[in-house]
């Protein structure tokens, strides 16, 4: 397990010197840093085989670089000088660390050789007061001096123990590495560096640079300056990439497995404000967003309040001016423009493509559940949030981590909260889908009391935009197997529904069929039939019911009983088997009728796939 250690603390408190004493490396790499004796950008040093130390700048002007480094660390080394004690950037860095969710750390009390032991104890008490109520309240405080060597061995021993106790990171199942350094080296070309947050990558593998969207190929991988075959979860890696001439890679870009992440402008989040803020966070406030190694201009839309006072928390949607790359669970920091201060931050709960509605109870409840400390609750709500569009186990893994995912999914299935339909959907959403399907059929029967049912294709068309096809198919099949609806050929209806007819209407049906049977292959049109039964006010209703039941077929305004159609088909098939092909005239003669009736019948059989027209002839369709 690789551990990333990050430093934090005020300028000139000895972070860089301490790292050099611990590792032998000087993390200041820029010329101006060495000239000024001040870290202005991220520096890196290797601590043994299984850890990397990120040296972050302490000056408030370079706080954005500090955030870029701190966003990927497992363990924080808070550096406070014994001769100065707690300073402004000490407090700001500590707030950033809390916002970023870093829960493990220790304190190095540097420059201990410059003050008396009594002063050291006073500073320790100040530090304890500062850390009280935080996850660092019991963190070790170790006095050190790079001049005398005091405490360096004890600090190393404590670091070693904490590194061994670093919990395994939850893998999301795909390669992802936010880039915090990007430069070119002669002979190696484009080189980028960062911490691998999930998955692994191999030599010659093709990766995608997001949000820019172009592909690169991995030519060389180094871990701790040693060439390796692959970079894995948790490791600090440097990758030499084959990049197009016009393509540019900068800090803030992210290397991912192709198509693994979609950039977005909208992040639904849980937002916490720093209690020492000089002003509240107001709705639609413009801020600088720091997420991963990216800095972007953004606007905070508060979803449940008009403003967040210092120390308060709430749900918000972060709208970014440019596309950003994020994942559920990512931590972020927001800073004000003027004065340039860290004012808050939080956790990404959901990636979305649309603006959220403020004060929407359903949205707020959804975000509340996504913000649960229980992974099972998060997973269940993530599935429910997808409605009737199944989410795969792989995609869920990418959202919440693969650790214990199968176990949680099995538990949720046993509890009856989710079910599998290709991927996973919430049981209550699926139940609502079936109820909606039944409701559509009920309404259809009310509006069409003389139709035997709704065509399945029509039902699917109505629901196509509301649910995935596989969910629709399963819901339909389940309703049929549960005897809640019934299917007859291409039609479905509520179980037990029948077309309701009075005794008089049924008698009229029999009269109409009897009359039409006598007309043979020369039946009347609808208008002619109305003249025949001019006294019957219910004729139209009866005709529609006969058509719906399939007892009557209307062919180009000619009304044929089903039995007549079947006899006409039998005569046609026998004639074609005898002659191979026939004309309208030959068929007319065989039926002993006129062209007015023979041609519509042939056209009907063409449409039914019985025959095919070849010029003036009809042939059997193969």
């Amino acid at each position: 397990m690789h551990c990333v250690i990050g430093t934090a603390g005020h300028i000139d408190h000895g972070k860089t010197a301490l790292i050099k004493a611990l590792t032998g490396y000087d993390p200041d790499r820029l010329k101006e840093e060495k000239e000024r004796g001040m870290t202005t950008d991220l520096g890196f040093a290797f601590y043994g085989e299984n850890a990397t130390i990120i040296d972050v700048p302490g000056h408030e002007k370079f706080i954005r670089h500090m955030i870029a480094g701190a966003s990927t660390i497992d363990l924080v080394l808070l550096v406070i000088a014994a001769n100065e004690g707690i300073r402004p950037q000490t407090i700001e860095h500590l707030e950033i660390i809390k916002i970023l969710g870093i829960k493990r750390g220790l304190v190095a009390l540097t420059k201990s050789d410059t003050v008396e032991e009594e002063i050291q104890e006073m500073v320790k008490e100040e530090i304890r007061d500062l850390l009280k109520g935080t996850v660092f309240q019991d963190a070790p405080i170790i006095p050190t001096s790079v001049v005398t060597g005091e405490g360096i061995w004890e600090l190393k021993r404590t670091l070693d123990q904490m590194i061994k106790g670093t919990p395994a990171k939850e893998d999301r199942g795909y390669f992802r590495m936010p880039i915090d350094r990007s430069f070119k080296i002669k002979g190696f070309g484009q080189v980028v560096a960062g911490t691998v947050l999930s998955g692994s990558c191999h030599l010659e593998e093709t990766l995608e640079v997001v949000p820019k969207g172009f592909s690169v190929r991995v030519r060389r991988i180094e871990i701790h300056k040693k060439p390796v075959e692959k970079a894995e979860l948790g490791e600090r890696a440097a990758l030499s990439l084959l990049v197009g001439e016009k393509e540019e890679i900068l800090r803030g870009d992210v290397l991912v497995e192709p198509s693994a992440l979609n950039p977005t402008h909208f992040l639904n989040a849980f937002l916490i404000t720093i209690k020492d803020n000089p002003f509240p966070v107001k709705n639609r406030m413009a801020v600088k967003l720091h997420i991963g190694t990216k800095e972007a201009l953004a606007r905070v839309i508060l979803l449940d309040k008009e403003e967040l006072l210092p120390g308060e928390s709430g749900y918000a949607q972060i709208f970014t001016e440019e596309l950003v790359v994020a994942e559920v669970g990512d931590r972020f920091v927001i800073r004000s423009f003027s004065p340039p201060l860290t004012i808050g931050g939080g956790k990404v709960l959901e990636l979305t493509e649309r603006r959220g509605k403020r004060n929407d109870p359903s949205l707020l409840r959804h975000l509340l559940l996504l913000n649960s400390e229980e992974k099972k609750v998060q997973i269940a709500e993530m599935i429910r949030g997808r409605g009737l569009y199944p989410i795969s186990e792989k995609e869920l893994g990418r959202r919440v981590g693969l650790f214990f995912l199968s176990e949680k999914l099995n538990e949720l299935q046993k509890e009856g909260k989710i079910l599998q339909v290709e991927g996973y959907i919430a049981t209550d959403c699926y139940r609502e889908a079936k109820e909606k399907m039944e409701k559509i059929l009920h309404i259809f029967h009310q509006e069409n009391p003389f139709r035997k049912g709704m065509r399945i294709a029509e039902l699917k068309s109505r629901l196509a935009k509301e649910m995935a096809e596989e969910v629709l198919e399963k819901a339909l099949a389940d309703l049929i197997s549960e005897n809640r609806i019934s299917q007859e050929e291409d039609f479905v209806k509520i179980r037990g529904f029948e077309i309701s007819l009075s005794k008089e209407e049924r008698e009229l049906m029999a009269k109409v069929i009897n009359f039409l049977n006598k007309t043979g292959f020369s039946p009347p049109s609808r208008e002619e039939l109305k003249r025949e039964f001019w006294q019957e006010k219910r004729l139209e209703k009866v005709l529609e019911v006969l058509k719906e039941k399939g007892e009557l077929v209307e062919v180009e305004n000619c009304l044929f009983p089903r039995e007549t159609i079947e006899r006409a088909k039998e005569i046609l098939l026998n004639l074609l088997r005898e002659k191979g092909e026939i004309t309208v005239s030959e068929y007319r003669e065989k039926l002993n009728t006129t062209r007015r009736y023979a041609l519509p019948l042939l056209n009907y059989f063409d449409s039914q796939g019985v025959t095919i027209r070849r010029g003036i002839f009809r042939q059997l369709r193969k």
Side-chain angles (χ1 to χ4, degrees):
M1 175 65 196
H2 194 89
C3 180
V4 178
I5 304 165
T7 62
H10 196 77
I11 184 174
D12 283 338
H13 277 207
K15 295 187 293 297
T16 302
L18 182 63
I19 290 172
K20 191 173 181 180
L22 288 169
T23 67
Y25 290 97
D26 183 355
D28 280 348
R29 56 190 174 82
L30 302 177
K31 181 182 177 183
E32 58 267 30
E33 290 179 327
K34 296 184 181 299
E35 289 174 351
R36 296 164 67 183
M38 180 176 74
T39 301
T40 61
D41 202 348
L42 299 177
F44 302 89
F46 308 126
Y47 183 78
E49 292 296 320
N50 298 313
T52 303
I53 299 179
I54 302 179
D55 184 24
V56 301
H59 197 286
E60 61 91 12
K61 289 182 180 179
F62 305 107
I63 199 78
R64 65 188 182 93
H65 299 315
M66 181 269 167
I67 296 169
S71 65
T72 59
I73 69 176
D74 304 296
L75 175 65
V76 67
L77 177 58
L78 182 60
V79 178
I80 301 173
N83 61 339
E84 290 194 14
I86 296 165
R87 304 291 291 161
Q89 262 62 61
T90 311
I91 297 170
E92 185 170 12
H93 282 203
L94 184 61
E95 291 293 344
I96 291 169
I97 288 163
K98 287 192 287 186
I99 288 169
L100 292 175
I102 301 165
K103 297 180 179 179
R104 305 177 70 246
L106 70 164
V107 181
L109 189 63
T110 55
K111 305 184 181 182
S112 61
D113 59 305
T114 63
V115 298
E116 299 294 330
E117 188 172 334
E118 186 178 340
I119 301 296
Q120 282 188 38
E121 292 303 317
M122 289 175 60
V123 175
K124 282 185 181 180
E125 284 303 312
E126 287 180 3
I127 295 170
R128 285 284 174 225
D129 288 341
L130 176 67
L131 299 180
K132 194 173 293 182
T134 75
V135 293
F136 304 111
Q137 64 181 12
D138 297 321
I141 302 174
I142 302 171
T144 64
S145 169
V146 297
V147 176
T148 65
E150 178 194 352
I152 300 299
W153 182 86
E154 185 183 351
L155 181 60
K156 282 185 175 183
R157 183 177 61 82
T158 306
L159 274 175
D160 291 342
Q161 290 174 347
M162 296 187 80
I163 290 168
K164 287 180 182 177
T166 300
K169 294 182 177 70
E170 291 185 354
D171 197 352
R172 295 179 185 261
Y174 68 98
F175 180 75
R176 177 186 178 211
M177 187 182 89
I179 295 166
D180 52 42
R181 295 178 67 190
S182 179
F183 47 90
K184 292 185 178 180
I185 299 177
K186 191 174 181 180
F188 290 91
Q190 180 71 54
V191 177
V192 299
T195 302
V196 181
L197 296 187
S198 71
S200 62
C201 76
H202 299 73
L203 287 173
E204 301 303 319
E205 187 171 347
T206 297
L207 299 173
E208 183 182 2
V209 178
V210 285
K212 293 171 178 171
F214 59 84
S215 296
V216 295
R217 185 161 56 83
V218 181
R219 300 170 61 188
R220 182 181 174 90
I221 304 173
E222 286 190 4
I223 307 291
H224 283 208
K225 294 189 176 182
K226 296 176 183 177
V228 293
E229 294 291 320
K230 67 176 180 178
E232 297 182 295
L233 170 66
E235 293 181 328
R236 283 287 312 174
L239 277 60
S240 172
L241 305 173
L242 184 62
V243 182
E245 289 184 12
K246 296 182 180 180
E247 309 293 2
E248 185 179 27
I249 303 177
L250 301 173
R251 173 184 290 171
D253 292 334
V254 184
L255 270 182
V256 296
E257 174 187 306
S259 303
L261 284 176
N262 293 318
T264 184
H265 286 287
F266 297 99
L267 306 172
N268 288 340
F270 181 65
L271 182 63
I272 305 166
T273 58
I274 291 175
K275 62 183 178 181
D276 294 327
N277 270 353
F279 47 80
V281 173
K282 296 188 176 182
N283 183 45
R284 298 195 60 77
M285 182 177 180
V287 297
K288 289 182 180 178
L289 171 73
H290 298 267
I291 187 160
T293 58
K294 178 75 174 178
E295 177 187 300
L297 301 181
R299 197 168 290 277
V300 177
I301 293 96
L302 298 177
L303 296 175
D304 55 351
K305 298 176 182 176
E306 287 302 319
E307 64 178 18
L308 284 181
L309 298 175
E312 287 188 338
S313 61
Y315 294 99
Q317 185 170 82
I318 312 296
F319 170 69
T320 59
E321 290 191 7
E322 59 183 302
L323 286 169
V324 295
V325 181
E327 189 59 282
V328 171
D330 283 0
R331 298 281 179 160
F332 64 88
V333 170
I334 56 171
R335 306 195 80 226
S336 60
F337 284 93
S338 181
L341 297 172
T342 300
I343 55 176
K347 180 171 68 171
V348 176
L349 301 178
E350 185 176 46
L351 311 177
T352 182
E353 297 178 357
R354 60 184 184 275
R355 292 185 184 275
K357 186 177 178 182
R358 299 188 67 230
N359 300 311
D360 179 355
S362 62
L363 175 59
L364 293 172
R365 180 181 180 279
H366 173 59
L367 296 179
L368 175 69
L369 293 172
L370 289 179
N371 194 37
S372 170
E373 293 296 321
E374 291 289 330
K375 269 289 171 69
K376 192 164 71 172
V377 175
Q378 291 178 31
I379 293 169
E381 184 59 23
M382 205 166 287
I383 293 170
R384 197 195 66 80
R386 287 288 292 262
L388 295 167
Y389 291 88
I391 182 170
S392 68
E393 184 170 342
K394 183 177 182 181
E395 189 175 351
L396 277 168
R398 291 180 171 186
R399 296 288 175 265
V400 297
L402 295 173
F403 207 47
F404 294 136
L405 181 61
S406 294
E407 179 186 334
K408 302 299 183 192
L409 288 172
N410 289 335
E411 288 176 12
L412 287 167
Q413 285 188 89
K414 288 178 182 177
E415 292 168 9
K417 293 179 179 177
I418 64 171
L419 70 155
Q420 276 188 288
V421 186
E422 298 294 333
Y424 293 91
I425 60 173
T427 305
D428 58 350
C429 291
Y430 182 65
R431 183 171 56 251
E432 289 169 10
K434 293 199 293 183
E435 289 170 356
K436 180 157 193 176
M437 202 172 277
E438 282 185 295
K439 185 177 180 181
I440 288 173
L441 288 176
H442 275 295
I443 293 171
F444 179 84
H445 290 325
Q446 290 170 8
E447 295 176 349
N448 304 274
F450 310 124
R451 291 183 60 182
K452 65 180 180 182
M454 178 185 276
R455 286 192 178 276
I456 294 174
E458 182 183 348
L459 179 62
K460 288 182 176 180
S461 176
R462 289 198 190 186
L463 294 168
K465 293 182 179 179
E466 299 183 34
M467 63 183 75
E469 185 177 355
E470 57 268 28
V471 176
L472 201 159
E473 294 283 358
K474 178 173 172 55
L476 187 60
D478 284 354
L479 285 171
I480 292 169
S481 67
E482 293 164 10
N483 287 324
R484 290 160 67 177
I485 67 174
S486 56
Q487 180 179 353
E488 183 180 330
E489 296 179 340
D490 295 332
F491 295 86
V492 284
K493 64 178 182 178
I494 294 296
R495 173 67 68 177
F497 171 79
E498 294 294 340
I499 297 172
S500 178
L501 292 173
S502 66
K503 178 183 177 183
E504 293 78 9
E505 288 167 341
R506 289 195 295 273
E507 289 174 351
L508 179 58
M509 284 176 64
K511 289 178 184 178
V512 170
I513 291 296
N514 187 51
F515 174 80
L516 290 174
N517 280 333
K518 292 176 182 178
T519 62
F521 298 114
S522 304
S525 66
R526 184 181 283 258
E527 290 72 24
E528 291 168 338
L529 192 64
K530 285 180 181 179
R531 287 196 291 271
E532 179 68 28
F533 291 89
W534 63 273
Q535 292 179 314
E536 297 291 349
K537 295 180 180 179
R538 302 174 184 177
L539 180 64
E540 280 291 347
K541 173 183 174 181
V542 165
L543 291 178
E544 289 306 311
V545 172
L546 285 168
K547 285 175 62 178
E548 192 68 17
K549 286 177 169 291
E551 295 179 31
L552 195 63
V553 180
E554 190 165 12
V555 180
E556 296 182 24
N557 203 33
C558 299
L559 296 168
F560 291 92
R562 170 58 61 186
E563 290 182 8
T564 303
I565 288 286
E566 292 300 324
R567 282 193 290 116
K569 180 180 177 182
E570 185 179 353
I571 291 168
L572 176 62
L573 292 174
N574 289 335
L575 194 59
L576 285 170
R577 291 189 188 109
E578 179 186 338
K579 293 192 172 187
E581 58 183 21
I582 61 169
T583 63
V584 177
S585 296
E586 288 173 311
Y587 187 49
R588 174 187 59 77
E589 290 175 7
K590 198 69 175 175
L591 293 178
N592 191 24
T593 188
T594 66
R595 186 179 180 87
R596 172 189 171 187
Y597 302 104
L599 182 58
L601 281 169
L602 285 173
N603 291 337
Y604 171 76
F605 291 126
D606 287 344
S607 70
Q608 296 297 303
V610 177
T611 53
I612 186 168
R613 183 176 176 177
R614 305 285 190 193
I616 65 170
F617 296 99
R618 290 302 199 287
Q619 298 173 347
L620 273 176
R621 186 183 292 272
K622 293 181 180 179

